[in-house]
Amino acid sequence: MENKTLPEVTSTARGTRTLSAVTRLRELIVSGVLKPGQRISERSVLEEHQDLSRTPLREALKILASEGLIDLTPNRGAFVTRLSMKHIDSAMEVLIGLESIAAVASCARITAPEMEEIKTLHHQMLVSFQQQDLMSYFQINQQIHQLIVDGAHNEALSRIYRAESLHIRRYRYAGNIEHARWEQAVTEHEQIIEALCRRDGLLLRELLRAHHSKGWDVTRELLATELK
Amino acid sequence: MENKTLPEVTSTARGTRTLSAVTRLRELIVSGVLKPGQRISERSVLEEHQDLSRTPLREALKILASEGLIDLTPNRGAFVTRLSMKHIDSAMEVLIGLESIAAVASCARITAPEMEEIKTLHHQMLVSFQQQDLMSYFQINQQIHQLIVDGAHNEALSRIYRAESLHIRRYRYAGNIEHARWEQAVTEHEQIIEALCRRDGLLLRELLRAHHSKGWDVTRELLATELK
DNA sequence: ATACTATACATTGCATGCAAATATAAAATA
DNA sequence: TATTTTATATTTGCATGCAATGTATAGTAT
């Protein structure tokens, strides 16, 4: 018998309490509400979220730890992972490498509808740029890169890229990027979309690589002063 | 005060029960004792491992699920992840891509001692080949590739490569590889080591790519009949 | 005053019991 | 006999209490 339950309308996530706790906490960490290095005691979380008890919370913390978003030391508790500049540089190297893999594969395998979705987002991103809405620009930008990777139709690649992006997202948002670089980045994106449409994988790979290298150089400087 | 506890002598792993359960179960899955698709009920595990109760076991299962080694469906339990050929192909594409990234980086950054360790393992692998000890050859082979990746000194890269290798390890061991291909693979490894010693990153990248492509073609065929 | 010790407090690890959900078996009906 | 329905048993999700570990505080000795 097909006793299909309606999708729940709970505030944050369906399914078990463990899963919804994971979703909520992940959001808090990735968005930066919980700062790198900050302690996450079980008690403090339980006070915030009434409909949660220790067992599912502890299961959630284990999951977040194996995702790399928190450090979990036995008998000492959970702390939001604090990444050194070396870690972030490493992650960026990996991210660029993954996009290099994706570039060639995506040009070979992406479908027309998927490409259309990217183009649509690209136009939305241009609007965000014109309105100088950096936060919105940043979010759409992230989505576009994820979709380019997804176009490779490689489940493992998409999963790893997503996870690794989440790790360093809170470090990549450069709140006060100067207009000049921003404008250049938009231009580069035009070329990126065009290479994708032409399915020129090798060109796309080089464009993405250059795009990220330049962008990261700038963001890196801004971040270096913060981390010091 | 430095109240340093002695390393425990428990059978499998130190630390919390959760962690030791993760280690034990991971070993069982990766080694193939627990077969893809097989159910892992809490009760069956608790019967095998007396010094374990439900809470740490359930936490361990959550961790293994987020590592991708088991599927965990709410209210239905845990099953060893069963990968389709498409999944395995995808994972191999990623693994080859990660080694491509690592090849260039490793040639630039690997230290002399690290290189020595690889050479030593290489010689051990030759012995295994001469003795026609395929299992030992396979294990050393895996270690060498991991160490080449580790030579890039990129924590994220090493972590991802390790995890992804574990996912598909049980599918990659081709029990009845023919001698001809095996001999060729050994020759290719000679060249790989040599390119690494010369720190010729681009050459190493191509050698690794070719090595894996050929090897996977063979293993893939053997596997295809099994999975059908 | 500093360093060390002992004690009280807080936090995490684990075991267990109960409730909810699912799977299995038995009974009833077509 | 095949199929649906009902009842039973099993299994998972969650809450909670106790034990073990770690942290902070107060006190003592040097």
Side-chain angles (χ1 to χ4, degrees):
Chain A
M1 179 57 72
E2 192 77 0
N3 185 7
K4 189 163 192 176
T5 56
L6 293 176
E8 287 193 27
V9 200
T10 50
S11 58
T12 48
R14 75 201 72 242
T16 65
R17 287 165 197 273
T18 299
L19 269 306
S20 74
V22 168
T23 305
R24 283 191 282 189
L25 286 173
R26 190 194 287 120
E27 187 59 34
L28 291 175
I29 294 168
V30 170
S31 68
V33 174
L34 297 173
K35 301 277 186 301
Q38 181 176 344
R39 172 163 194 184
I40 306 179
S41 75
E42 295 178 0
R43 197 173 52 77
S44 66
V45 178
L46 293 174
E47 280 171 4
E48 296 270 336
H49 307 285
Q50 302 297 344
D51 58 340
L52 186 64
S53 83
R54 284 190 67 210
T55 304
L57 168 58
R58 286 175 51 79
E59 291 176 356
L61 291 176
K62 301 282 184 196
I63 291 173
L64 292 169
S66 91
E67 287 180 3
L69 291 174
I70 64 177
D71 282 336
L72 209 45
T73 316
N75 294 316
R76 296 192 16 109
F79 299 82
V80 178
T81 306
R82 191 208 310 266
L83 296 178
S84 66
M85 189 54 95
K86 185 179 176 186
H87 281 112
I88 305 170
D89 275 328
S90 293
M92 277 306 297
E93 182 175 61
V94 170
L95 238 40
I96 294 171
L98 292 174
E99 283 201 33
S100 295
I101 303 168
V104 178
S106 199
C107 281
R109 306 200 279 256
I110 196 171
T111 66
E114 289 169 339
M115 216 184 284
E116 281 309 310
E117 192 181 353
I118 292 175
K119 280 197 227 171
T120 304
L121 278 171
H122 178 65
H123 289 122
Q124 289 179 25
M125 195 180 79
L126 291 181
V127 172
S128 297
F129 172 62
Q130 281 157 14
Q131 298 176 346
Q132 295 288 296
D133 183 346
L134 186 58
M135 194 63 206
S136 162
Y137 172 87
F138 182 74
Q139 284 175 342
I140 298 174
N141 190 15
Q142 290 275 114
Q143 272 186 68
I144 289 174
H145 285 279
Q146 180 70 51
L147 286 176
I148 291 174
V149 172
D150 292 345
H153 296 188
N154 180 320
E155 185 273 326
L157 187 61
S158 289
R159 170 172 44 78
I160 296 169
Y161 184 85
R162 174 170 290 108
E164 230 32 47
S165 294
L166 283 184
H167 280 170
I168 60 170
R169 175 165 301 175
R170 62 203 133 119
Y171 295 104
R172 278 179 81 189
Y173 177 74
N176 40 354
I177 190 175
E178 65 267 40
H179 189 82
R181 169 61 203 156
W182 194 0
E183 193 159 335
Q184 197 193 346
V186 171
T187 306
E188 288 165 12
H189 255 263
E190 291 282 0
Q191 299 175 303
I192 286 168
I193 301 293
E194 195 176 321
L196 182 66
C197 288
R198 291 184 185 173
R199 296 180 180 273
D200 187 340
L202 297 181
L203 176 61
L204 179 59
R205 187 175 69 188
E206 291 317 307
L207 289 174
L208 285 171
R209 184 176 293 276
H211 176 63
H212 283 303
S213 294
K214 283 187 220 165
W216 176 232
D217 281 349
V218 175
T219 310
R220 196 181 188 290
E221 286 308 308
L222 295 169
L223 186 59
T225 62
E226 265 182 49
L227 285 184
K228 276 273 167 68
Chain B
M1 176 57 71
E2 193 79 357
N3 183 9
K4 191 164 191 176
T5 55
L6 293 176
E8 287 193 27
V9 200
T10 50
S11 57
T12 47
R14 75 200 72 243
T16 65
R17 287 166 196 273
T18 300
L19 268 307
S20 73
V22 168
T23 305
R24 284 190 282 189
L25 286 173
R26 190 195 286 121
E27 188 59 33
L28 291 175
I29 294 168
V30 170
S31 69
V33 174
L34 297 173
K35 301 278 186 300
Q38 182 176 343
R39 172 165 193 180
I40 306 178
S41 75
E42 295 177 1
R43 196 172 54 77
S44 65
V45 178
L46 294 174
E47 280 171 4
E48 296 269 336
H49 306 284
Q50 302 296 345
D51 58 340
L52 186 64
S53 82
R54 285 191 66 210
T55 304
L57 168 58
R58 285 174 53 78
E59 291 177 355
L61 291 177
K62 301 282 187 203
I63 292 173
L64 291 169
S66 92
E67 287 179 3
L69 291 174
I70 62 177
D71 282 336
L72 207 45
T73 315
N75 294 316
R76 294 194 17 110
F79 299 82
V80 179
T81 306
R82 190 208 310 267
L83 297 178
S84 66
M85 187 55 93
K86 184 179 177 186
H87 281 113
I88 305 170
D89 276 327
S90 294
M92 278 305 299
E93 182 174 61
V94 169
L95 238 41
I96 294 171
L98 292 175
E99 283 201 33
S100 297
I101 304 168
V104 178
S106 199
C107 282
R109 307 200 278 259
I110 196 169
T111 66
E114 288 168 338
M115 219 185 282
E116 281 309 310
E117 193 181 351
I118 291 175
K119 279 197 227 170
T120 304
L121 278 171
H122 178 63
H123 290 122
Q124 288 180 24
M125 194 179 79
L126 291 181
V127 172
S128 296
F129 172 62
Q130 280 156 15
Q131 298 175 345
Q132 295 288 296
D133 184 346
L134 186 59
M135 195 62 205
S136 163
Y137 172 88
F138 182 73
Q139 283 175 343
I140 299 174
N141 189 15
Q142 291 275 115
Q143 272 186 67
I144 290 174
H145 284 280
Q146 179 70 51
L147 286 176
I148 292 174
V149 172
D150 292 345
H153 296 188
N154 181 318
E155 185 273 327
L157 187 60
S158 288
R159 170 172 44 79
I160 296 169
Y161 184 85
R162 173 170 290 106
E164 236 22 58
S165 293
L166 284 184
H167 279 170
I168 60 169
R169 175 165 299 174
R170 62 204 133 123
Y171 294 105
R172 279 178 81 189
Y173 177 74
N176 40 356
I177 189 175
E178 65 266 40
H179 188 82
R181 168 61 201 154
W182 193 1
E183 193 160 334
Q184 196 192 346
V186 172
T187 306
E188 288 165 12
H189 255 263
E190 290 282 2
Q191 299 176 303
I192 286 168
I193 301 293
E194 196 177 321
L196 181 66
C197 289
R198 291 185 184 170
R199 294 181 181 273
D200 187 341
L202 297 181
L203 176 61
L204 179 60
R205 186 175 69 187
E206 290 318 307
L207 290 174
L208 285 170
R209 185 176 291 277
H211 175 65
H212 283 303
S213 293
K214 283 187 220 164
W216 176 232
D217 280 351
V218 175
T219 310
R220 197 181 188 289
E221 286 307 308
L222 294 169
L223 186 61
T225 62
E226 264 183 49
L227 286 184
K228 275 278 167 67

